[in-house]
Amino acid sequence: MLCNTSDMTDLDWTSINLGIVICIACSGVHRSLGVHVSKVRSLTLDRWDEDTIKYMESIGNSMSNVKYEGWLRDVKRPSADASKEERKHFIRQKYVDCKFVSPHYV
């Protein structure tokens, strides 16, 4: 499985309100957006209640990307070796500006 917002495969973090799994590099960017956009939690360090687990299972990276990357088109997701600025730019476009959201969800 890939990180929801880059091509990293080492996944130890989540955004519990978005229902996605992310890498450590993207988790810092998600945290910087504020909890009103992304609530970051560790898969291993934080405690998980049953409702949060069920919510995460109901969304997941694939379903999230159907909504938030529905109109990604020619834009490339950040690679595993992308800079923090490249990640920040993409993640902000994706979750704050909702630039790639499918019209079906608007």
Side-chain angles (χ1 to χ4, degrees):
M1 179 190 305
L2 293 177
C3 170
N4 183 265
T5 49
S6 74
D7 289 338
M8 293 284 285
T9 55
D10 188 18
L11 309 177
D12 293 323
W13 297 89
T14 67
S15 173
I16 61 171
N17 61 312
L18 295 173
I20 60 172
V21 181
I22 54 180
C23 67
I24 192 166
C26 290
S27 72
V29 176
H30 275 264
R31 279 189 194 279
S32 74
L33 299 175
V35 296
H36 62 288
V37 177
S38 186
K39 295 180 182 177
V40 178
R41 299 290 183 270
S42 170
L43 284 171
T44 57
L45 302 174
D46 289 311
R47 299 188 114 201
W48 289 75
D49 62 59
E50 194 63 35
D51 289 340
T52 303
I53 292 169
K54 287 179 183 176
Y55 181 74
M56 292 293 296
E57 290 174 342
S58 73
I59 304 293
N61 288 0
S62 295
M63 287 297 295
S64 173
N65 284 338
V66 167
K67 175 180 179 179
Y68 287 101
E69 292 186 359
W71 277 42
L72 193 60
R73 305 293 181 247
D74 296 330
V75 176
K76 300 285 186 202
R77 300 173 84 226
S79 64
D81 61 347
S83 70
K84 183 176 181 178
E85 286 305 312
E86 290 172 310
R87 289 174 197 277
K88 186 176 183 177
H89 180 71
F90 179 79
I91 292 168
R92 181 166 287 284
Q93 285 185 313
K94 184 173 177 177
Y95 293 110
V96 176
D97 302 336
C98 297
K99 186 173 180 180
F100 316 120
V101 171
S102 170
H104 175 75
Y105 292 97
V106 176

